[in-house]
Amino acid sequence: MENRKLMATGIVGFVVAALCCSTPVLAVLLGAVGLSAMLGYLDYVLIPAMILFLGIVAYADYRRRRSA
């Protein structure tokens, strides 16, 4: 059961980070609220977040296969 929660966390986190990488949507949204200066810093956060969550998915898959 713990492996399923771990895998679900990783998948959800990866999907959220992948959705946030749609820079044109973020540019419009941040520009609308006056925070477009933050666009230059998004890659410093989003790409490592995607890598981290993909690692969680891989680790959960490894544990699931090992326990089977």
Side-chain angles (χ1 to χ4, degrees), residues 20-61:
C20 288
C21 281
S22 57
T23 305
V25 173
L26 287 175
V28 170
L29 292 176
L30 290 174
V33 295
L35 296 174
S36 60
M38 293 180 61
L39 286 174
Y41 300 107
L42 288 178
D43 289 337
Y44 295 125
V45 176
L46 296 175
I47 295 189
M50 278 182 26
I51 292 169
L52 172 74
F53 287 120
L54 192 59
I56 291 173
V57 171
Y59 177 69
D61 186 50

